[in-house]
Amino acid sequence: MARQDILQLLTTLPGEYVSGEKISQQLNVTRASVWKQIKQLQEEGFEIEAQTKKGYCLRKTPDSLNAWVIEQMLGTVSFGRSLIIEDELPSTNAKAKELAREGGIHGQVIIARTQCSGRGRMQREWQSPKGGLWMSIIIRPNLSLANASKLTLAASVAVVDALKELYRLPVGIKWPNDLIYNGHKIAGILGEVVGEWNRVQTLILGIGINANFPRENLGSSIAAATLQEILGHEVDLNKLTAAILLHLEKQVSALEADMFEELCINWTARAVGIGEEVKVIRGEEVFRGIFRGISQEGELLLETDHGEVRFSAGEVRLRSKLGTYFGEPL
Ligand code: BTX
């Protein structure tokens, strides 16, 4: 008997008691083993009331990551319909790449409660303590190579919208796809291509959100924010996961329907620093100018004294005129 079967029975009539006898009959198991499973569910964070005469009643599902709970909350067609949660992984992106090579499907999600070797762009370290949301999605989009790189921009719009919908948080996008709250990084997004892009057409989208832990759990040199500190309470990670996946699926579908202009407008509306004087650093070179937004191809547009210059993500760093980027130290 799977614990899911018990949960399914307890949720058919929300708020009502289901007798141990009924559960044991329906699932063809002893009442003692039903009790054992209920105790395990309670340990996983399900608030289940047990009353001698009435039976069991599910009062609340856990806020901590739980695949069954996420599944109940999902409003997507394919994103997250296949979903794995591991206690610890080196990196969910690395695991997702492995799964993609083994035939992982479009929309498959892998989440880790903690990562011991989380990565940012250019192999930078991404600290991933317990309490965060560290997840990767396998995307096999119906997009041309030129358009596929826009997926990471779409992902940043999706995460901003999910955070706004759930917590009314005004989060901005730092080009190309870091999410900033009051000058502090609250989330990061990493898109990685698997195999030969032209043939395989698979992108791994890694999303990391500083959620239920204090900022001190990250290195002191990092200008980061966490949802717990901003909101003053822990958040429901299952709800957050389901909301992000729904927004992401919508964004990806819009891109597949060739709606890049709309994405461009949505991204720009959420971006920080547009119209400001900035420095763009490419290796040893420094370009100064006004940050004008992004092109249809997702490149950064810089208005310099010598005309407009375009930069693609990955090759450059962006800083405000004062040497900081919206609060982030150099
Ligand atoms: P990034 O290269 O823009 O950011 C990396 C930089 O951010 C680091 O050099 C460090 O200064 C800072 N940093 C490290 N950890 C944190 C943190 N938790 N919060 C704020 N700042 C931090 C951004 O890369 C993309 C990150 C994607 C992470 C996800 S998590 C799930 C998936 N798996 C995986 O290994 N990566 C992705």
Side-chain angles (χ1 to χ4, degrees):
M1 167 191 43
R3 285 202 287 286
Q4 269 88 335
D5 296 332
I6 295 188
L7 286 170
Q8 221 68 57
L9 279 176
L10 292 180
T11 41
T12 18
L13 294 169
E16 301 223 348
Y17 282 85
V18 184
S19 71
E21 193 181 338
K22 185 171 172 191
I23 299 176
S24 71
Q25 272 173 6
Q26 295 228 350
L27 302 179
N28 206 16
V29 290
T30 64
R31 287 178 67 170
S33 73
V34 170
W35 172 231
K36 213 170 125 192
Q37 299 287 347
I38 294 270
K39 273 203 300 201
Q40 284 212 18
L41 285 168
Q42 286 169 332
E43 271 162 34
E44 284 174 30
F46 288 89
E47 285 177 25
I48 300 173
E49 253 175 49
Q51 287 211 6
T52 334
K53 293 227 172 86
K54 292 177 166 173
Y56 305 104
C57 175
L58 176 63
R59 291 285 179 215
K60 193 179 173 303
T61 54
D63 291 350
S64 54
L65 287 165
N66 183 288
W68 184 85
V69 180
I70 294 173
E71 199 189 317
Q72 307 307 302
M73 292 175 168
L74 268 183
T76 57
V77 176
S78 52
F79 280 33
R81 291 293 163 188
S82 165
L83 184 142
I84 305 166
I85 299 176
E86 301 277 1
D87 259 345
E88 181 172 338
L89 283 174
S91 150
T92 55
N93 262 35
K95 180 70 182 176
K97 276 188 232 168
E98 223 177 279
L99 292 172
R101 287 196 195 97
E102 291 162 5
I105 55 166
H106 177 64
Q108 186 169 354
V109 170
I110 172 91
I111 297 177
R113 293 190 173 89
T114 171
Q115 300 183 115
C116 48
S117 188
R119 284 288 162 262
R121 283 169 297 153
M122 290 168 267
Q123 290 303 307
R124 285 193 284 246
E125 180 197 17
W126 183 260
Q127 297 186 14
S128 320
K130 270 211 173 79
L133 178 59
W134 322 121
M135 83 168 154
S136 300
I137 303 117
I138 298 176
I139 303 192
R140 300 190 187 276
N142 186 13
L143 285 174
S144 70
L145 176 60
N147 285 325
S149 56
K150 294 163 191 160
L151 281 165
T152 48
L153 298 175
S156 41
V157 172
V159 178
V160 167
D161 288 356
L163 294 175
K164 189 162 181 207
E165 178 189 297
L166 293 178
Y167 319 117
R168 299 178 182 276
L169 268 193
V171 171
I173 306 172
K174 173 192 156 190
W175 186 84
N177 43 41
D178 280 339
L179 302 191
I180 307 289
Y181 177 83
N182 261 347
H184 292 79
K185 207 186 302 197
I186 191 160
I189 292 165
L190 176 69
E192 291 184 286
V193 171
V194 179
E196 279 179 58
W197 181 235
N198 274 318
R199 283 198 326 208
V200 186
Q201 297 233 337
T202 300
L203 185 92
I204 304 301
L205 210 49
I207 299 177
I209 301 189
N210 298 331
N212 296 337
F213 59 84
R215 202 167 23 157
E216 296 86 77
N217 291 12
L218 300 171
S220 56
S221 62
I222 295 175
T226 77
L227 287 175
Q228 181 185 310
E229 286 202 342
I230 297 168
L231 300 169
H233 58 81
E234 294 200 351
V235 299
D236 182 338
L237 290 180
N238 300 310
K239 217 187 231 179
L240 179 58
T241 306
I244 289 174
L245 291 173
L246 183 59
H247 281 281
L248 192 60
E249 188 173 85
K250 279 189 194 152
Q251 289 294 332
V252 173
S253 302
L255 268 187
E256 286 176 329
D258 222 8
M259 290 162 65
F260 186 62
E261 211 176 307
E262 204 171 307
L263 169 64
C264 204
I265 293 168
N266 286 333
W267 187 93
T268 306
R270 292 155 182 76
V272 289
I274 292 184
E276 290 182 19
E277 269 189 69
V278 294
K279 284 196 292 190
V280 174
I281 304 157
R282 182 168 64 192
E284 301 291 295
E285 289 176 292
V286 178
F287 301 80
R288 286 185 164 76
I290 310 279
F291 178 25
R292 285 291 175 214
I294 52 168
S295 70
Q296 289 278 323
E297 278 65 51
E299 302 148 312
L300 179 148
L301 300 177
L302 187 74
E303 182 190 312
T304 71
D305 290 345
H306 316 288
E308 185 184 271
V309 189
R310 295 172 173 222
F311 301 92
S312 53
E315 61 164 350
V316 294
R317 285 181 299 150
L318 184 61
R319 293 286 181 264
S320 80
K321 195 183 162 197
L322 297 172
T324 62
Y325 194 97
F326 315 111
E328 184 186 334
L330 263 174

